């Protein structure tokens, strides 16, 4: 059921990838405004994720998991029926809140259920593989439904999965022991306000330039709210983010590296469908199939991950994966109005998929390393917070880059494609920053751990 929950969340995200241009046309949203279809979900997910993790610890993870799945199913129905952009964005935010309740409980149950390192590695590999497979299915099904029926049909895909999960939970999932405690509501609110304000500031800059009061006011509010969040967490008796989790160099490096990775990786799947549909004139289904090489190769790499990690260690596999991903993204950034799909999109996506397939499992493993059982929910929440925060901030920053470049030229296919190309260069820069984090923080820690393990083996 943990795997089914992840499939549900991945389907929701991937179904929308190829539907975004059609949603923009149907609801009259500009390219910048269209980012909120994704960011409304991501910001609510990332902002409430730590609260959801804490709720699982206090109320019981099965109860929290079930509440999240039920709310996610309801929000999916509302999104599919949304008559306007504002209703759709509200429903997407509700989906994000629901995912924040369900996902950390699922990942915490995985972490606790597989205590042995090798077993946990295999379980995380399966969890990650389902993410890749679900993404592939969602791309095809989402494109097909958008072409044959409407983008709205894709929103209903999660409903039957949610119903089946709710029926299976009482029978197959054991409740974890609930603990006395408080929910850190102020911590959650300041984190949500902070991240939303930062993203809003960047998107407003994309729409109207950096000179407007709304931009700097939003950025100031975001920075102040996040500072307040850290202050609250340092003083709270029961914080949603125990700052002791950052005492580990390995975990801190994994969170930061994952955040930067998503800053670069996630926006690619906003911009590439725009290029495929608006420049190469692919329909939604063809665009979904065109992106498939990435997810298929990423999924295939998952099978090799346990043996690669066992032989070379997480840090070295991460370094190799990031170098491959940077190479593919840099290749993809050479798009022009005359680019063809095969040479300028297909082959770069193959390379990028191979790199991505080597990255996510090690980052997840390192983000959960050395965590005590009492902090399992918070640690798994931070893994996902880094993921969602990176996605939202990266998309907000790079859409600002896109609009800044696009505004400086006469509107045309050439200027549109050039703006996408520059934005993809930004993606490669973020991936390079993630690589530097791995080299500076994670590689030395990994070498030290492997040296200690070798000494223990020799002593025995």
């Amino acid at each position: 059921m943990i795997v089914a929950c992840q499939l549900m969340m991945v389907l929701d995200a991937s179904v929308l990838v190829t539907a975004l241009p059609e949603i923009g046309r149907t609801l009259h949203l500009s390219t910048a405004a269209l980012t909120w279809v994704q960011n409304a979900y991501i910001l609510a997910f990332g902002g409430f994720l730590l609260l959801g993790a804490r709720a699982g610890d206090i109320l019981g993870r099965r109860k929290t998991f079930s509440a999240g799945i039920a709310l996610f199913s309801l929000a999916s129905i509302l999104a599919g029926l949304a008559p306007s952009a504002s209703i759709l964005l509200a429903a997407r935010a509700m989906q994000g809140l629901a995912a924040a309740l369900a996902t950390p409980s699922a990942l915490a149950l995985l972490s606790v259920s597989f205590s042995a390192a090798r077993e946990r590695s295999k379980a995380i590999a399966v969890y990650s593989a389902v993410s890749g497979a679900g993404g592939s299915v969602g791309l095809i099904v989402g494109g097909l439904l958008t072409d044959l029926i409407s983008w709205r049909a894709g929103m209903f895909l999660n409903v039957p999965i949610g119903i089946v999960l709710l029926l299976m939970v009482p029978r197959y999932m054991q409740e974890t022991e609930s603990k006395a405690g408080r929910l850190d509501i102020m911590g959650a609110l300041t984190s949500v306000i902070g991240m939303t304000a930062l993203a809003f500031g960047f998107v407003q800059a994309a729409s109207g330039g950096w000179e407007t009061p709304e931009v700097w006011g939003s950025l100031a509010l975001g920075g102040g709210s996040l500072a307040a969040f850290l202050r609250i967490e340092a003083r709270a008796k029961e914080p949603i983010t125990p700052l002791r989790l950052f005492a580990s160099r390995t975990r801190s490096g994994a969170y930061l590296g994952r955040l930067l990775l998503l800053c670069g990786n996630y926006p690619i799947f906003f911009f590439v469908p725009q290029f495929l549909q608006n420049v190469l004139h692919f329909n939604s289904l063809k665009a979904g199939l065109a992106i498939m090489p990435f997810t298929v190769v990423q999924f295939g790499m998952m099978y090799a991950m346990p043996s690669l990690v066992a032989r070379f260690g997480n840090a070295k596999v991460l370094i190799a994966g990031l170098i491959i991903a940077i190479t593919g993204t840099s290749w993809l950034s050479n798009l022009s109005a005359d680019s063809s799909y095969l040479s300028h999109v297909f082959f770069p996506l193959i390379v990028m998929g191979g790199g991505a397939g080597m990255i996510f499992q090690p980052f997840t493993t390192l983000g959960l390393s050395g965590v005590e059982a009492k902090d399992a929910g918070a640690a798994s929440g931070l893994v996902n917070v880094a993921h969602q925060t990176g996605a939202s901030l990266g998309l907000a920053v790079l859409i600002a880059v896109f609009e800044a470049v696009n505004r400086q030229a006469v509107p045309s296919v050439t200027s549109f494609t050039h703006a996408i190309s520059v934005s993809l260069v930004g993606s490669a820069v973020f991936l390079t920053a993630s690589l530097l984090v791995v080299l500076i923080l994670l590689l030395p820690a990994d070498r030290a751990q492997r040296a200690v393990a070798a000494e223990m083996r020799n002593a025995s």
Side-chain angles (χ1 to χ4, degrees), residues 1-93:
M1 285 189 293
I2 295 171
V3 168
C5 172
Q6 179 66 4
L7 176 62
M8 186 177 184
M9 305 304 167
V10 171
L11 277 176
D12 180 75
S14 59
V15 160
L16 277 180
V17 167
T18 51
L20 284 174
E22 182 61 27
I23 292 173
R25 286 188 288 269
T26 302
L27 299 180
H28 310 292
L29 293 170
S30 66
T31 303
L34 195 60
T35 63
W36 285 105
V37 177
Q38 297 289 57
N39 269 344
Y41 172 87
I42 295 169
L43 289 167
F45 188 8
F48 288 108
L49 201 50
L50 297 172
L51 185 67
R54 182 65 175 154
D57 291 336
I58 294 174
L59 304 175
R61 288 171 184 151
R62 191 177 78 175
K63 290 178 184 177
T64 307
F65 179 83
S66 297
I69 294 298
L71 183 61
F72 197 94
S73 301
L74 175 61
S76 297
I77 295 173
L78 294 177
L81 298 175
S84 65
S86 59
I87 300 292
L88 174 61
L89 297 183
R92 290 288 289 159

Side-chain angles (χ1 to χ4, degrees), residues 90-126:
R92 290 288 289 159
M94 188 185 298
Q95 283 183 314
L97 173 60
L101 294 174
T103 303
S105 291
L107 192 53
L109 286 167
L110 182 150
S111 179
V112 171
S113 300
F114 299 92
S115 56
R118 190 170 184 82
E119 290 180 355
R120 182 183 295 187
S121 179
K122 289 180 179 179
I124 292 174
V126 172

Side-chain angles (χ1 to χ4, degrees), residues 30-312:
S30 66
T31 303
L34 195 60
T35 63
W36 285 105
V37 177
Q38 297 289 57
N39 269 344
Y41 172 87
I42 295 169
L43 289 167
F45 188 8
F48 288 108
L49 201 50
L50 297 172
L51 185 67
R54 182 65 175 154
D57 291 336
I58 294 174
L59 304 175
R61 288 171 184 151
R62 191 177 78 175
K63 290 178 184 177
T64 307
F65 179 83
S66 297
I69 294 298
L71 183 61
F72 197 94
S73 301
L74 175 61
S76 297
I77 295 173
L78 294 177
L81 298 175
S84 65
S86 59
I87 300 292
L88 174 61
L89 297 183
R92 290 288 289 159
M94 188 185 298
Q95 283 183 314
L97 173 60
L101 294 174
T103 303
S105 291
L107 192 53
L109 286 167
L110 182 150
S111 179
V112 171
S113 300
F114 299 92
S115 56
R118 190 170 184 82
E119 290 180 355
R120 182 183 295 187
S121 179
K122 289 180 179 179
I124 292 174
V126 172
Y127 183 88
S128 302
V130 168
S131 299
S136 300
V137 172
L139 288 172
I140 297 173
V141 174
L144 183 63
L145 291 176
T146 300
D147 282 342
L148 296 182
I149 306 175
S150 166
W151 62 265
R152 299 177 183 277
M155 295 290 94
F156 297 120
L157 277 179
N158 294 307
V159 178
I161 300 176
I163 292 173
V164 171
L165 277 174
L166 289 173
L167 293 174
M168 293 175 64
V169 164
R171 184 172 180 180
Y172 293 104
M173 183 177 286
Q174 293 183 348
E175 181 59 280
T176 57
E177 182 181 353
S178 59
K179 304 174 183 178
R182 296 180 180 179
L183 292 175
D184 182 11
I185 303 296
M186 288 305 299
L189 288 177
T190 50
S191 67
V192 170
I193 292 171
M195 292 307 306
T196 302
L198 286 179
F200 183 78
F202 282 113
V203 174
Q204 283 296 104
S207 301
W210 290 93
E211 300 82 9
T212 61
E214 291 85 354
V215 172
W216 293 106
S218 295
L219 295 177
L221 176 61
S225 297
L226 292 177
F229 168 73
L230 292 175
R231 185 179 179 86
I232 290 170
E233 297 311 285
R235 295 185 172 188
K237 292 183 178 179
E238 299 180 37
I240 55 175
T241 310
L243 298 184
R244 60 180 173 270
L245 288 173
F246 295 100
S248 165
R249 180 176 181 173
T250 297
R251 287 196 298 270
S252 296
Y255 301 146
L256 178 59
R258 192 184 192 101
L259 184 147
L260 292 169
L261 166 68
L262 267 296
C263 280
N265 189 69
Y266 185 84
I268 292 170
F269 297 97
F270 178 86
F271 290 114
V272 170
Q274 304 287 330
F275 172 79
L276 293 173
Q277 295 183 59
N278 294 324
V279 179
L280 297 186
H281 305 296
F282 286 16
N283 60 26
S284 297
L285 175 58
K286 192 174 179 180
L289 291 171
I291 301 171
M292 277 282 290
F294 177 94
T295 54
V296 169
V297 175
Q298 180 185 16
F299 176 72
M301 282 300 302
M302 298 298 178
Y303 288 99
M305 285 305 295
S307 59
L308 286 175
V309 169
R311 182 174 180 181
F312 299 106

